[in-house]
Amino acid sequence: MFCYQCQETAKNEGCTVRGVCGKDADVANLQDLLVFVLKGISVYAEKAKAEGVDLSDKTAPFIMEGLFATITNANFDAERFEDLIEEAFALRDEVKAEFEKAYKENHGEEFSGDLPEHATWYSDDVSDYYDKGTDVGVLETEDVDVRSLRELATYGLKGIAAYGDHARVLGKHKEEIDRFTQKCLAATTDDSMSVDDLVGLVMETGEMAVETMALLDEANTSTYGHPEPTDVNIGVRDNPGILISGHDLKDMEELLEQTEGTGVDVYTHSEMLPANSYPAFKKYDHFVGNYGNSWWHQDKEFESFNGPILMTTNCITPVKDSYKDRIFTTGMAGYPEVTHIPDRKEGESKDFSELIEMAKTCDSPVQLEEGTIPGGYARNTVMSVADKVIEAVENGDIGRFVVMGGCDGRFKSREYFTDVAKELPEDAVILTAGCAKYRYNKLDLGDIGGIPRVLDAGQCNDSYSLAYIALQLKEAMGVDDINDLPISYDIAWYEQKAVAVLLALLSLGVKGIRLGPTLPAFVSENVLNVLVDKFDIKPTGDVKEDVAAIMAGE
């Protein structure tokens, strides 16, 4: 195996024996093979498009789900990847047949052109999957800069796929995004593309990330309402409970509906915290609040919760025996020997009855904390008081906004973000989204004229709010360049959705982003130089020096 798609990759170089995330070499290789075949589907789909046949409505839903399954900490189940690869082969055959039919109709002869191996390799022997997976990963691209740009586009696309899949679950999709999904994957197989071409592809990936995050924002807010300022309870009650983690709001909705009146409470964990701020969920009296912290604490927090846990998406870590019999996965999440809740059938809800019945037999959660934390400061809330915000900037009460969105992680180096939050002067306001907020959202940082100094826009899925706020402030304050706003970016990254967010910010022209706690291992020296020259990307450094530079707009 070779994997370096996450921030915690071994030695900041790459995992070669076992992933730091916990996945073994077999799963890593199967993930590589799945992506390999998804690229083959995309090659045929792009060729069909050139013949006047658009198959993106057929290819995109499966490609997005497949890419989503390969995101860090989403799925560790080898059998599930075997099934996905078989499904991918079947879809590739369908797309191939439609392309060949269109080609013959248009040209009067069979297609006989060259194809990459992504479009031709096949085996009906599952054992071959494991062997082939060792040959088709990241290192199949020999040129380090071409490899870097291909992987940067692919990881950004994985983030887009995750956001796009969430939107599709809520009935929203865009043909533009679907078409780009297959175009981007197919392009990574094209050896004729120059480095400049690939840089253009990476930037287009960022543009499409903005479109996809905007689509997901529309899907969430049109379904559940705009998040409202909310003091989220972090204590517990005496009833048995179910803990829901991950990101999927549709799963949240259906779980709340099915637990109503059962005597079972529902708590959020990690990235599901923002669900507490949606009006549609507040009507449920048995929706108690948030339990615990970010994803990497789950080994201890899942033990102490006592009741069943539902993992709806990525962010699952190696499951301990102490709670293996009461953790469930659903969607694209998966783990060996853990019960998986099947996808909903057309017009029906998922069936969470097994969790509910189990919960009734469990003790109530062990209390970890008490009190509340603020949430619900997404774009609608912030822009509703835009005049107040602008006035606070103009009169000097707010000296700087600092975007500290992104991911949390296990490494001690992430204490940097807590220390920055503490070190920032009292006229600095933190804008955040994603689980990075757990590094500082329980600090007592106060407010500025009633505006909390930590404005939590929600999940990493809600990062569009941060871009939207910046663009609206740019217009309201009458500045020509987004970089002239009193906003600095100090971003924590961990997995591929954060890569999509980074590329989105770059596509909007944001410069001077600090990125940490390390720069991505998949960015080669030459590619990094391009990003530094064009966008002034820089690593996080000494806390005091960084804060001084941030407040000076540097």
Side-chain angles (χ1 to χ4, degrees):
M1 70 173 284
F2 181 85
C3 181
Y4 60 179
Q5 68 178 6
C6 86
Q7 187 275 323
E8 292 185 353
T9 194
K11 300 179 181 179
N12 203 41
E13 295 175 358
C15 296
T16 58
V17 179
R18 184 180 183 86
V20 172
C21 65
K23 68 183 175 187
D24 61 28
D26 282 344
V27 169
N29 293 333
L30 288 174
Q31 289 183 357
D32 285 344
L33 182 59
L34 175 59
V35 173
F36 178 83
V37 183
L38 294 177
K39 291 180 178 182
I41 294 170
S42 301
V43 167
Y44 281 122
E46 282 296 283
K47 288 188 174 297
K49 185 179 174 184
E51 300 300 326
V53 180
D54 186 354
L55 300 174
S56 58
D57 60 338
K58 175 178 288 189
T59 64
F62 180 80
I63 289 174
M64 285 186 173
E65 286 189 341
L67 290 174
F68 195 176
T70 69
I71 280 182
T72 303
N73 286 350
N75 199 314
F76 295 78
D77 189 348
E79 291 184 4
R80 179 61 177 134
F81 284 107
E82 292 173 5
D83 293 341
L84 285 168
I85 292 166
E86 288 182 8
E87 293 177 55
F89 279 137
L91 179 57
R92 194 182 70 181
D93 284 345
E94 290 181 39
V95 176
K96 174 185 177 182
E98 296 208 37
F99 156 64
E100 290 178 340
K101 176 184 176 184
Y103 185 91
K104 187 171 184 179
E105 289 175 352
N106 290 341
H107 301 279
E109 60 183 8
E110 303 286 346
F111 174 76
S112 60
D114 293 333
L115 289 165
E117 191 182 18
H118 309 74
T120 60
W121 186 85
Y122 172 77
S123 176
D124 58 6
D125 184 345
V126 171
S127 65
D128 289 342
Y129 296 177
Y130 292 84
D131 292 334
K132 188 63 176 176
T134 64
D135 299 329
V136 299
V138 172
L139 299 180
E140 70 169 333
T141 302
E142 294 183 4
D143 184 287
V144 66
D145 296 325
V146 172
R147 179 196 308 158
S148 178
L149 290 164
R150 284 178 173 177
E151 294 307 303
L152 186 53
T154 300
Y155 301 155
L157 191 62
K158 286 187 179 189
I160 288 172
Y163 295 138
D165 185 62
H166 282 300
R168 196 179 297 271
V169 166
L170 295 176
K172 300 286 186 181
H173 76 281
K174 276 188 176 181
E175 291 181 357
E176 178 186 13
I177 298 168
D178 291 349
R179 289 172 182 152
F180 177 76
T181 299
Q182 66 183 37
K183 169 191 166 182
C184 184
L185 274 185
T188 64
T189 73
D190 185 355
D191 291 334
S192 70
M193 290 190 73
S194 68
V195 167
D196 287 343
D197 292 335
L198 288 168
V199 170
L201 181 68
V202 168
M203 295 311 301
E204 192 176 357
T205 305
E207 293 169 9
M208 206 53 55
V210 176
E211 291 294 320
T212 311
M213 290 190 293
L215 179 68
L216 179 55
D217 178 272
E218 178 190 352
N220 287 340
T221 57
S222 64
T223 306
Y224 304 114
H226 285 281
E228 304 168 340
T230 305
D231 291 325
V232 180
N233 173 50
I234 56 175
V236 301
R237 299 198 302 208
D238 292 334
N239 300 328
I242 294 174
L243 187 62
I244 180 170
S245 193
H247 306 76
D248 196 296
L249 297 182
K250 185 68 173 177
D251 289 339
M252 181 84 205
E253 175 189 11
E254 293 176 351
L255 180 64
L256 286 171
E257 289 173 346
Q258 293 176 39
T259 48
E260 189 171 24
T262 64
V264 174
D265 288 336
V266 173
Y267 297 78
T268 58
H269 179 265
S270 191
E271 280 279 67
M272 287 300 286
L273 164 64
N276 290 271
S277 300
Y278 282 94
F281 302 144
K282 289 186 174 185
K283 66 183 180 182
Y284 293 99
D285 292 336
H286 65 296
F287 185 18
V288 178
N290 192 71
Y291 187 85
N293 296 277
S294 66
W295 61 273
W296 63 276
H297 297 276
Q298 67 189 247
D299 57 342
K300 295 182 175 63
E301 293 172 351
F302 286 3
E303 280 186 337
S304 63
F305 184 76
N306 291 328
I309 303 112
L310 177 64
M311 289 297 309
T312 63
T313 60
N314 59 308
C315 293
I316 190 170
T317 65
V319 175
K320 296 172 69 173
D321 290 341
S322 57
Y323 56 84
K324 180 176 281 189
D325 62 343
R326 54 184 175 85
I327 186 171
F328 298 77
T329 60
T330 192
M332 300 318 296
Y335 199 87
E337 301 178 12
V338 165
T339 302
H340 187 79
I341 305 298
D343 288 342
R344 56 186 65 81
K345 297 178 180 178
E346 186 73 29
E348 299 181 13
S349 298
K350 290 183 181 179
D351 182 3
F352 296 124
S353 58
E354 186 175 355
L355 283 83
I356 296 168
E357 293 307 309
M358 178 182 289
K360 292 176 182 178
T361 69
C362 296
D363 293 337
S364 59
V366 174
Q367 179 150 302
L368 301 176
E369 306 167 283
E370 57 184 356
T372 62
I373 50 176
Y377 290 90
R379 62 178 178 85
N380 193 62
T381 295
V382 174
M383 296 319 299
S384 70
V385 293
D387 55 344
K388 186 177 180 180
V389 171
I390 293 170
E391 181 182 355
V393 172
E394 290 177 343
N395 66 24
D397 290 339
I398 294 179
R400 200 85 186 160
F401 293 98
V402 186
V403 176
M404 291 176 63
C407 312
D408 195 14
R410 289 166 286 215
F411 288 5
K412 186 176 176 59
S413 55
R414 289 183 182 270
E415 292 177 4
Y416 162 90
F417 296 99
T418 306
D419 294 338
V420 166
K422 291 177 179 178
E423 184 71 19
L424 285 170
E426 293 182 357
D427 64 343
V429 174
I430 296 171
L431 300 174
T432 191
C435 60
K437 62 175 160 277
Y438 282 101
R439 287 287 171 176
Y440 44 78
N441 68 342
K442 296 172 184 177
L443 299 176
D444 183 11
L445 298 179
D447 63 83
I448 300 174
I451 301 171
R453 287 193 55 223
V454 177
L455 296 178
D456 179 10
Q459 299 177 340
C460 60
N461 290 18
D462 300 311
S463 295
Y464 175 71
S465 274
L466 304 183
Y468 181 90
I469 290 167
L471 292 172
Q472 292 300 304
L473 287 177
K474 172 177 174 283
E475 182 176 334
M477 297 179 72
V479 300
D480 295 327
D481 189 329
I482 197 171
N483 297 294
D484 292 335
L485 289 169
I487 301 179
S488 297
Y489 297 81
D490 200 15
I491 305 296
W493 82 282
Y494 176 73
E495 44 85 34
Q496 297 76 66
K497 284 185 283 184
V499 176
V501 172
L502 173 65
L503 296 182
L505 292 173
L506 297 184
S507 78
L508 293 172
V510 174
K511 296 182 179 180
I513 296 172
R514 284 177 172 79
L515 187 64
T518 59
L519 294 177
F522 53 80
V523 174
S524 69
E525 183 176 352
N526 288 332
V527 172
L528 178 60
N529 288 338
V530 170
L531 295 177
V532 171
D533 290 343
K534 189 170 183 177
F535 298 104
D536 191 27
I537 281 187
K538 58 196 75 176
T540 54
D542 175 79
V543 170
K544 290 184 180 295
E545 292 177 1
D546 281 1
V547 168
I550 285 168
M551 296 307 295
E554 299 172 356

